[in-house]
Amino acid sequence: MVNKITGIYKGNPDLIIKKINNTYTIIYFESICSSDKINEFINKSIIYKNKITAPHMLKITIKETEKYLNNAFALIIKNNTDIYAAEVKADLYRSIDSPETEPSINGPKDALTENIQLNLGLIKRRIKTKNLKIINKTIGKYTNTLVQTLYIENNQNKNEIDYILKKLDNIKLLDVLDSSNISNSLQKEMKSIFPTIITSERPDVISSAIIEGKIVILVDNSPFALIMPAYFTDFINPLIDKYSKEGPTNFIKIIRYICLIITLVEPAFYIATINYNQETIPTSLLINFMTQREGVPFPSVVEAILMLIIYEILRESDIRFPSKYGTAISILGALILGDAAVKAGIVSPIMIITIAICFISSLVFTNPEFSNALRLYRFLFLFGATILGLYGIILVLFYLLINLCSTYSINKPYTIPIAPFKRKYFFKYIWRKSKK
Amino acid sequence: MKKIFTLVICLFLLTGCFNYVEINNIVLVSGIGINYINNEYKISFELLDHSKGKSESNVESGILKIGQGKTIPEAFDDISLKLEKEPYLAHLKVVVISEEIAKKHMNDLFDFFLRNNDIRNIFTVVISKNASPEEVLSKTNEYYKVSSERIKSLLDNNIYSNYISKNKYFKNIASNFLSGKKNITLSTIIIDNDELKLGNIGVFNKNKLVDYLSNDEALILSLIDNKKTLSDFKYECEKDKYIIIRAYKSNTNFKIKENIFKIKNNINAEIIENSCNYNLENIKLQKELEKTFEKIINDKVYDLISHLKIINSDILGINNKYYINFKKNKKDYFKNTNYKIETNININKKGLIFEVKNDK
């Protein structure tokens, strides 16, 4: 039997075969199992008591050995005929950290990790009810990743739950290494470039979503959970807003919507007014613009596109580069782009201000997919403004509205709670108003 | 699909870029002067110079370019031959016209400016009285490097004596001129001791400048024509001693009848000077004061209306009011009809100083 198993795992140098005595042989993968646990529980009991007293012990057949060995079980072979499997998982996970992508001043400071059970524990610590349903599925031909669907069933979300479970069953992937694999497969049918699933690493946000009737998907080895359905406003107003007071939060919500408008249309609006509607700019400001533009060889559109692309490159390199080099990039960005480009006469200072305001506004939106969608529309608006001026901006705006209105997140309109109007959701997320 | 494709193609090919212009290629025209000499229009553009290197700060200065032609468009074309960049007229602030234009060529002026799509009609028109428009537009000082901006500031900020000229844009003037509801008035600008100064108000009869109003008359006109007003009136109680009131709110009603029209003024006023040392707490005295000022203002209104009747300039729109009342036109109603003036003054702000030496 031992020879048979070692024959199957020939190419695995981390497979350890320990012959304890004439009766017992232990086989396990050194890379995923804890040698301490094996010595402590299994070795000791065999040597001193001549019997196995390991926790979670099962008797398995030879066909099941692959499944158990790969899931950090040690196989104990007795008399070269019986196979027992005992769980001796090594602790390969990092501890609970604070959230990096969704930081907040107040509210809990724990974040999901790569361990799905730990993640589930973080959620269950918050939702203590029997109504919390968890459905396990294994997806991925090679990875066999555990995917858990969490929800509290109510009258409203019954259809959505069935829809998602059906979709999960139909996912055929070779590997599921992160929740984004599942997210992409679920969003495949939706042609819109706006994300229809929220990703979150905050257990408090996830718990609040579950309580609200949304559906959450946890994926093993991924510190991000998927929350569905997600509407357009959810990407503008984070769910952690509820930890702050009502009045200031509403003010910040207004600021966020202003940021959305600025980041989408500001460069386009600048191009449209400066090239088509100069009469709308106050005379002294226009004179300033003219003075600054003097000597710049490119049309303002080329200038804008050039700056937008440079900033996109800067941003991308900032994300990809190790954070220790971040200072180098900021010095390079600030000095080269901010000052030298103006002095060299490649761009005008006002264009740098315009693009900088646009980018600062875009940093309000943390969801990378949402930012990508905004980025694409920013270029579309610029294109419209270049060809048709303010009229072009309005045309692209219509296109954006049509796109938003025809987007669905799990059979629900993306524009909820405005169209169709959902009073409860509206006063919870768009304009907070507590019940009297 | 074909239809949508055609629509999209049309959208981009037929509409796009037709008025695209880079700001490097335009020069802003801030003021236009229009003169008529030797049977030719002489037009001057005051351009805003924004070239770098002239000064550290971006203070713009005006440059004058002059062109001539038999018609206004010809003169415009003549100037454009002298310009390196395309003149941009949407930021036009002031048009200065000579007396000659105001007297004989107003029709051409309105025709040109109303037909021209490049010019926004929110600029002010002024008459240059004792100098040519070119001279007026070249009068700058160290604070105001652009003459047209200086004229605009003069008109905007002179609210005391010249409320009537404030915010009178070309669109309002043109609307009155074309509809014939009112005869128009225009502010004038003069050069006094090498400085720009606001002059008297020019009064038109139809399309001709016929006369000017004195400052006193302009004050009364502002009182009758504007609800918002700040007009001062004085009464000399002794030699070199005055009591001065300021009308801060006025409400004028016109009552039009077949053979007479009445102008009724209700004025709220405050006392701004009391060098006569009147006891203002004395109600009887106050009533007397109100009556005195009512008479003063009544006389002034009477003088103004008589002057306007002589030159037949209906700047209050009395003829139009007659038409609205009786639904028939009577061309010389304002000129030939008798009138009656009634003024009520309510001095309801007496200031905080009540202590007086003697109770007169």
Side-chain angles (χ1 to χ4, degrees), chain B residues 28-206:
Chain B
L28 301 187
V29 180
S30 177
I32 294 179
I34 305 176
N35 202 352
Y36 196 80
I37 302 170
N38 302 330
N39 292 328
E40 270 198 338
Y41 283 99
K42 189 178 179 187
I43 291 189
S44 37
F45 274 8
E46 192 184 33
L47 309 171
L48 293 182
D49 178 27
H50 59 87
S51 46
K52 258 184 190 171
K54 271 204 157 184
S55 59
E56 291 258 320
S57 57
N58 292 334
V59 177
E60 66 263 33
S61 52
I63 301 172
L64 214 62
K65 296 269 179 182
I66 296 171
Q68 281 179 313
K70 283 277 173 205
T71 60
I72 297 178
E74 258 181 53
F76 265 63
D77 290 344
D78 190 38
I79 299 183
S80 66
L81 296 175
K82 299 170 189 171
L83 294 175
E84 296 82 5
K85 293 177 178 180
E86 188 189 330
Y88 190 72
L89 294 159
H91 280 263
L92 184 64
K93 289 205 171 69
V94 172
V95 169
V96 185
I97 56 171
S98 64
E99 271 189 308
E100 177 76 7
I101 296 279
K103 279 175 184 163
K104 290 176 184 165
H105 303 280
M106 284 305 276
N107 280 349
D108 291 351
L109 185 96
F110 279 107
D111 191 51
F112 177 77
F113 280 105
L114 286 171
R115 281 177 200 281
N116 197 325
N117 289 333
D118 298 332
I119 305 174
R120 276 197 300 182
N121 48 15
I122 50 167
F123 56 87
T124 322
V125 184
V126 288
I127 304 167
S128 64
K129 206 174 166 189
N130 64 349
S132 67
E134 306 87 86
E135 282 173 315
V136 170
L137 284 179
S138 55
K139 273 275 166 283
T140 53
N141 64 13
E142 55 183 306
Y143 301 112
Y144 283 95
K145 304 262 187 224
V146 183
S147 175
S148 41
E149 273 177 15
R150 197 177 166 193
I151 297 169
K152 183 92 178 33
S153 304
L154 275 175
L155 289 169
D156 280 352
N157 300 324
N158 192 357
I159 53 167
Y160 285 103
S161 59
N162 240 328
Y163 222 113
I164 195 155
S165 65
K166 207 193 172 196
N167 293 332
K168 271 235 164 144
Y169 288 128
F170 178 75
K171 60 175 181 184
N172 308 101
I173 300 167
S175 144
N176 283 334
F177 183 82
L178 295 175
S179 65
K181 284 180 185 170
K182 272 182 182 183
N183 281 133
I184 58 171
T185 55
L186 287 182
S187 302
T188 59
I189 197 108
I190 53 173
I191 297 179
D192 184 29
N193 285 334
D194 213 31
E195 277 293 323
L196 285 183
K197 189 183 163 188
L198 283 183
N200 298 332
I201 304 276
V203 188
F204 284 69
N205 177 8
K206 288 180 185 165

Side-chain angles (χ1 to χ4, degrees), chain A residues 274-276 278-279 281-283 286-294 296 299-301 386-388 391 395, chain B residues 11-12 15-17 19-24 26-28 48 50-52 58 60 85 88 90-91 93 120:
Chain A
I274 214 159
N275 289 324
Y276 290 94
Q278 295 94 343
E279 70 277 3
I281 309 170
T283 313
L286 185 61
I287 289 278
N288 267 343
F289 287 175
M290 287 165 108
T291 317
Q292 289 178 16
R293 284 269 307 138
E294 208 166 274
V296 178
S300 44
V301 184
T386 310
I387 298 176
L388 300 163
Y391 172 58
L395 280 187
Chain B
L11 197 77
F12 283 101
T15 56
C17 305
N19 56 353
Y20 178 92
V21 59
E22 283 288 336
I23 50 170
N24 303 28
I26 56 172
V27 58
L28 301 187
L48 293 182
H50 59 87
S51 46
K52 258 184 190 171
N58 292 334
E60 66 263 33
K85 293 177 178 180
Y88 190 72
H91 280 263
K93 289 205 171 69
R120 276 197 300 182

Side-chain angles (χ1 to χ4, degrees), chain A residues 228-435:
Chain A
M228 294 160 269
Y231 311 123
F232 187 67
T233 49
D234 296 338
F235 294 95
I236 299 165
N237 299 308
L239 296 154
I240 42 179
D241 268 0
K242 61 170 78 162
Y243 298 136
S244 317
K245 277 186 93 180
E246 213 172 272
T249 312
N250 283 338
F251 174 70
I252 288 173
K253 278 175 198 286
I254 295 171
I255 297 283
R256 285 202 200 106
Y257 283 102
I258 293 172
C259 285
L260 178 75
I261 295 166
I262 289 177
T263 191
L264 275 176
V265 297
E266 195 228 6
F269 188 75
Y270 172 72
I271 295 295
T273 47
I274 214 159
N275 289 324
Y276 290 94
N277 297 84
Q278 295 94 343
E279 70 277 3
T280 54
I281 309 170
T283 313
S284 45
L285 188 65
L286 185 61
I287 289 278
N288 267 343
F289 287 175
M290 287 165 108
T291 317
Q292 289 178 16
R293 284 269 307 138
E294 208 166 274
V296 178
F298 309 115
S300 44
V301 184
V302 177
E303 216 187 333
I305 291 173
L306 198 77
M307 285 309 293
L308 278 174
I309 289 173
I310 289 172
Y311 274 100
E312 293 297 349
I313 293 170
L314 203 72
R315 181 168 161 156
E316 190 61 22
S317 58
D318 203 27
I319 298 170
R320 302 276 165 238
F321 234 51
S323 57
K324 281 182 184 170
Y325 297 101
T327 5
I329 289 174
S330 40
I331 289 171
L332 206 73
L335 286 183
I336 306 292
L337 296 177
D339 197 35
V342 173
K343 279 188 180 156
I346 300 169
V347 286
S348 55
I350 182 70
M351 184 56 82
I352 290 185
I353 296 170
T354 311
I355 303 294
I357 293 173
C358 163
F359 264 82
I360 291 168
S361 305
S362 78
L363 297 179
V364 172
F365 311 105
T366 48
N367 187 303
E369 280 179 57
F370 191 68
S371 293
N372 288 347
L374 292 183
R375 186 183 309 175
L376 190 88
Y377 268 99
R378 188 180 306 138
F379 277 100
L380 269 182
F381 272 111
L382 194 66
F383 181 67
T386 310
I387 298 176
L388 300 163
L390 291 174
Y391 172 58
I393 294 182
I394 296 297
L395 280 187
V396 180
L397 186 70
F398 277 130
Y399 178 69
L400 169 69
L401 288 178
I402 292 167
N403 195 336
L404 284 179
C405 292
S406 52
T407 302
Y408 286 84
S409 174
I410 319 171
N411 295 338
K412 291 225 168 181
Y414 197 45
T415 43
I416 284 178
I418 291 171
F421 186 69
K422 301 269 182 204
R423 196 186 158 80
K424 205 175 152 191
Y425 207 84
F426 184 89
F427 286 116
K428 206 165 183 183
Y429 291 107
I430 292 192
W431 188 259
R432 256 182 70 197
K433 200 170 146 191
S434 54
K435 284 172 194 165

